[in-house]
Amino acid sequence: MEEGVFLFNEAPLTELMYLGDELRKKQVPHGKVTWQIDRNVNTTNVCIANCKFCNFYRIPGHPDAYITDIPTYRKKIEETFTYGGDQLLLQGGHHPGLGLSFYTNLFSQLKSEYPNLKLHTLGPPEVAHITKLEKSTHHEVLKALKASGMDSLPGAGAEILVDRVRRLISKGKCGSQEWLDIMHEAHKLNITTSATMMFGHVETIEERFEHLVKIREVQSRKPENAKGFLAFIPWTFQDVDTLLTRIRGVQNLTTPEEYIRMIAMSRIMLPNVKNIQASWLTVGKQIAQLCLHAGANDFGSIMIEENVVSAAGAPHRFTYRTIQEAIQAAGFEPQLRNQQYEWRKIPEAIKEQVVDY
Ligand code: SF4
């Protein structure tokens, strides 16, 4: 951790970029930049966690509160297929009334109607919430979710995996150790996962590096044949109209240079995580393109729909055509992939969405 902090603070940007790029070439020698087509659909916006950076949730009983119904899923899934997608990223709030059977019934129904659809669902804080509601164990909850159709578990809700930070910004969510324990349990069940970090708010530089070391340590304990964390995705806090900004005056002051340094340091600190993703959604196209020369090898999904980060100000959008143009303009060959990082062919009948928001 100390060495990471030292390099982050002291090494010239170009040296960090060079090192990140060389390590990326070792991990991902094919040199292609992967990307994905999926859609973030929210199961419910009802949440009792009250994260201070979240503009998406509504308290129980609020007039805007919703639980997505099956006809809406059908419409969104069919649109997703039209736009070339193969997966829903399915997440929502910590609804106090929705236990394990709600999710297992939902996943089984979606899989029975759309057997080719992949479900990248929930995140450790939601698994922790369901476990608490059911008075069960992480193992039992994850096993049931997997059996009902969960294909992979996103690394959502990690923010910074240090409890001092979590108490300040997301104290209604599980603590850092529980987040890590759930991921380790998922690895033991051979559920593919990813890891994230949301930075640029109240954390110190040391805490960012503590986070990276914790991710590396959990990955080092995964069973030999498990995929574990397939990717690491650092992204910046979006501060438009959030409580954290309005009440505590916390703003995201991350500069482009700082983001690129964090990408390079993620590659350096995580030799056991193969894919490092640049978050174009939060930092924009140009900075994300530079990250491809600093250790990142993946551009993530075009996200046909995204409501959570966008609600706090993230304005950037790609279609299947413009994301490939951006990767090519950065000097790389784009390659469509699925959540397991297996390559896909772009469907012949793909339609380009109209970005009108
Ligand atoms: S980030 Fe998630 S857990 Fe936190 S308030 Fe928003 S919906 Fe709830």
Side-chain angles (χ1 to χ4, degrees):
M1 186 186 98
E2 292 76 10
E3 289 172 356
V5 171
F6 176 80
L7 278 180
F8 177 81
N9 286 332
E10 305 295 334
L13 174 65
T14 48
E15 282 184 30
L16 281 188
M17 289 180 74
Y18 173 76
L19 192 50
D21 198 37
E22 288 300 305
L23 292 172
R24 188 267 306 162
K25 286 179 197 161
K26 279 194 181 169
Q27 281 273 19
V28 196
H30 58 67
K32 297 189 184 199
V33 169
T34 42
W35 62 285
Q36 190 183 15
I37 309 173
D38 74 354
R39 177 173 197 155
N40 296 13
V41 179
N42 302 111
T43 47
T44 176
N45 64 348
V46 174
C47 191
I48 51 172
N50 303 322
C51 301
K52 303 283 179 287
F53 55 84
C54 180
N55 291 341
F56 162 77
Y57 79 92
R58 297 290 181 270
I59 53 170
H62 190 282
D64 297 338
Y66 67 78
I67 296 175
T68 302
D69 59 16
I70 294 293
T72 307
Y73 283 116
R74 288 190 188 117
K75 184 169 170 286
K76 292 187 179 214
I77 291 167
E78 275 149 33
E79 274 174 15
T80 302
F81 288 151
T82 309
Y83 294 131
D86 64 341
Q87 167 172 283
L88 291 192
L89 191 160
L90 212 50
Q91 292 177 322
H94 295 189
H95 193 303
L98 301 182
L100 183 59
S101 61
F102 170 82
Y103 293 98
T104 54
N105 290 340
L106 173 64
F107 297 171
S108 338
Q109 173 149 9
L110 296 180
K111 283 284 189 173
S112 71
E113 292 190 33
Y114 303 97
N116 294 329
L117 179 74
K118 298 291 178 209
L119 294 177
H120 187 43
T121 56
L122 309 177
E126 285 162 283
V127 172
H129 173 69
I130 296 166
T131 303
K132 201 164 148 191
L133 285 181
E134 299 292 338
K135 300 186 176 56
S136 182
T137 62
H138 301 145
H139 177 81
E140 290 304 321
V141 168
L142 285 167
K143 205 166 78 174
L145 292 169
K146 185 181 178 190
S148 67
M150 168 196 265
D151 291 294
S152 50
L153 177 67
E159 281 88 70
I160 294 285
L161 291 167
V162 174
D163 287 338
R164 183 197 76 83
V165 177
R166 299 178 83 74
R167 274 194 294 276
L168 290 172
I169 66 170
S170 56
K171 78 170 176 229
K173 269 183 183 157
C174 63
S176 56
Q177 192 54 51
E178 190 170 10
W179 193 100
L180 295 160
D181 289 346
I182 290 169
M183 282 305 192
H184 183 54
E185 201 56 53
H187 296 172
K188 287 199 287 186
L189 287 164
N190 206 10
I191 299 171
T192 301
T193 64
S194 53
T196 61
M197 171 170 74
M198 183 187 76
F199 66 99
H201 40 87
V202 301
E203 85 287 355
T204 63
I205 301 297
E206 284 73 13
E207 285 164 338
R208 291 184 198 171
F209 282 82
E210 194 176 332
H211 179 107
L212 290 171
V213 169
K214 286 177 176 176
I215 298 287
R216 184 174 69 196
E217 195 272 329
V218 167
Q219 180 79 332
S220 73
R221 288 193 288 119
K222 77 175 174 63
E224 208 176 323
N225 297 325
K227 289 188 174 167
F229 294 125
L230 268 188
F232 180 68
I233 310 140
W235 54 283
T236 54
F237 162 55
Q238 301 296 292
D239 59 15
V240 176
D241 281 341
T242 63
L243 259 187
L244 204 51
T245 307
R246 282 189 282 128
I247 310 280
R248 298 182 59 104
V250 178
Q251 286 178 303
N252 169 25
L253 300 175
T254 314
T255 61
E257 174 182 344
E258 189 178 355
Y259 186 76
I260 297 165
R261 294 176 89 84
M262 278 315 302
I263 285 283
M265 288 310 306
S266 303
R267 180 59 84 188
I268 294 165
M269 294 291 288
L270 300 173
N272 55 1
V273 179
K274 187 167 179 179
N275 301 289
I276 303 289
Q277 190 181 121
S279 170
W280 57 263
L281 178 70
T282 57
V283 299
K285 179 172 97 171
Q286 283 91 351
I287 302 169
Q289 285 171 317
L290 280 169
C291 291
L292 298 178
H293 296 275
N297 67 299
D298 187 83
F299 246 30
S301 173
I302 61 170
M303 288 178 272
I304 295 165
E305 175 182 352
E306 201 290 322
N307 303 308
V308 180
V309 184
S310 306
H316 308 287
R317 291 290 175 271
F318 274 139
T319 69
Y320 87 91
R321 196 175 48 77
T322 55
I323 196 170
Q324 292 185 85
E325 286 170 1
I327 293 168
Q328 278 161 348
F332 293 90
E333 190 184 335
Q335 174 63 57
L336 181 63
R337 64 161 173 85
N338 63 19
Q339 191 61 43
Q340 307 298 328
Y341 281 75
E342 297 156 342
W343 294 359
R344 291 181 63 207
K345 271 198 174 143
I346 297 177
E348 276 175 24
I350 193 168
K351 192 173 152 198
E352 185 168 14
Q353 71 206 104
V354 178
V355 177
D356 56 0
Y357 55 96

